[in-house]
């Protein structure tokens, strides 16, 4: 309870400072509207059919992105974590691809995939897969080798060892990677929507009102929506992790 109170106090102080700066005239209200105006506009967004369509597109693309990133990264992470020669062979390629800025790949993605939803989903999946992949690989180093040796001693099949020993051991790390990837995926999706100009989504909605109408209240309201969705999803995933994976002290690797 004390932690929640402190967070609320910090949020209230931030909003108070923002309100004071926005109404003081130091910064033009059109450039930095106060939170009272932004929050009012935030609630009005849900009466805008275009915003609802754009929000639905972004959220659906986000769900698809996370499913693809998980389906790709978890098996690949298990494979690379369990087979050391393969990990050594692919290591240089992975370390080359991982730091690539996703937004720099937008022109190439548009050339190959076109400018539809498939482009933003592909780019977001590329960026989101890395935290899950590395957390899954890292998890193998935390598996108790005595447990694996015991499974071999009792001639436990590989399939049963995988779902009875390996998966429970890597699950907390995968969940931590999923939480990190959720934020990365949302950022890349909205950024791609903003930069491509042809994709439906919250990023394009914000771009339209910011560039053509200079309505910073709507821009910031859309930004608040994205931040709130990301926060709620992170809280939800954290709750799932604590509820179903609370038996493990492992926190995963960043």
């Amino acid at each position: 309870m004390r932690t929640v109170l402190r967070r609320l106090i910090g949020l209230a102080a931030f909003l108070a400072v923002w309100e004071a700066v926005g109404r003081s005239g130091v910064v033009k209200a059109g450039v930095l509207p106060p939170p009272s105006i932004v929050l009012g506009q935030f609630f009005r967004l849900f009466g805008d059919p275009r915003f609802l369509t754009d929000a639905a597109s972004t959220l659906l693309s986000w769900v698809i992105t996370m499913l693809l990133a998980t389906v790709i990264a978890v098996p690949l992470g298990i494979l690379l974590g369990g087979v050391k020669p393969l990990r050594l062979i692919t290591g240089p390629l992975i370390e080359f691809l991982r730091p690539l800025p996703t937004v720099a790949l937008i022109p190439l993605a548009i050339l190959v995939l076109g400018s539809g939803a498939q482009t933003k989903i592909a780019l977001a999946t590329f960026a989101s897969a890395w935290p899950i992949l590395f957390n899954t690989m890292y998890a193998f180093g935390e598996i108790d080798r005595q447990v694996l040796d015991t499974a071999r001693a009792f001639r436990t099949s590989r399939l049963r060892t995988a779902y009875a020993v390996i998966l429970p051991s890597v699950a907390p790390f995968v969940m931590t990677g999923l939480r990190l990837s959720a934020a990365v995926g949302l950022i890349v999706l909205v950024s791609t929507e903003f930069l491509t100009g042809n994709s439906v989504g919250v990023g394009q909605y914000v771009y339209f009102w910011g560039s053509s109408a200079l309505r910073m209240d709507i821009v910031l309201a859309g930004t608040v929506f994205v931040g709130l969705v990301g926060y709620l999803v992170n809280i939800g995933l954290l709750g799932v992790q604590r509820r179903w994976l609370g038996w493990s002290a492992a926190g995963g690797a960043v």
Side-chain angles (χ1 to χ4, degrees), residues 146-165:
Q146 291 184 350
V147 176
L148 293 176
D149 292 339
T150 302
R152 292 193 198 96
F154 281 94
R155 296 182 180 178
T156 306
S157 68
R158 291 186 177 181
L159 181 61
R160 180 158 185 173
T161 300
Y163 74 76
V165 177

Side-chain angles (χ1 to χ4, degrees), residues 55 58-67 70 128 132 174-187 189 224-242:
T58 297
L59 294 178
L60 179 59
S61 299
W62 194 22
V63 171
I64 295 172
T65 291
M66 297 315 301
L67 288 175
T70 303
S128 301
I132 302 175
V174 172
M175 183 57 72
T176 300
L178 191 62
R179 287 173 51 211
L180 296 171
S181 293
V184 172
L186 184 59
I187 291 169
L189 277 174
V224 168
F225 171 79
V226 173
L228 184 60
V229 169
Y231 175 77
L232 292 176
V233 168
N234 182 67
I235 291 296
L237 291 175
L238 185 59
V240 170
Q241 186 173 8
R242 288 175 175 172

Side-chain angles (χ1 to χ4, degrees), residues 178-204:
L178 191 62
R179 287 173 51 211
L180 296 171
S181 293
V184 172
L186 184 59
I187 291 169
V188 172
L189 277 174
V190 175
S191 300
T192 304
E193 291 166 352
F194 186 91
L195 293 172
T196 55
N198 294 320
S199 180
V200 178
V202 176
Q204 184 56 210

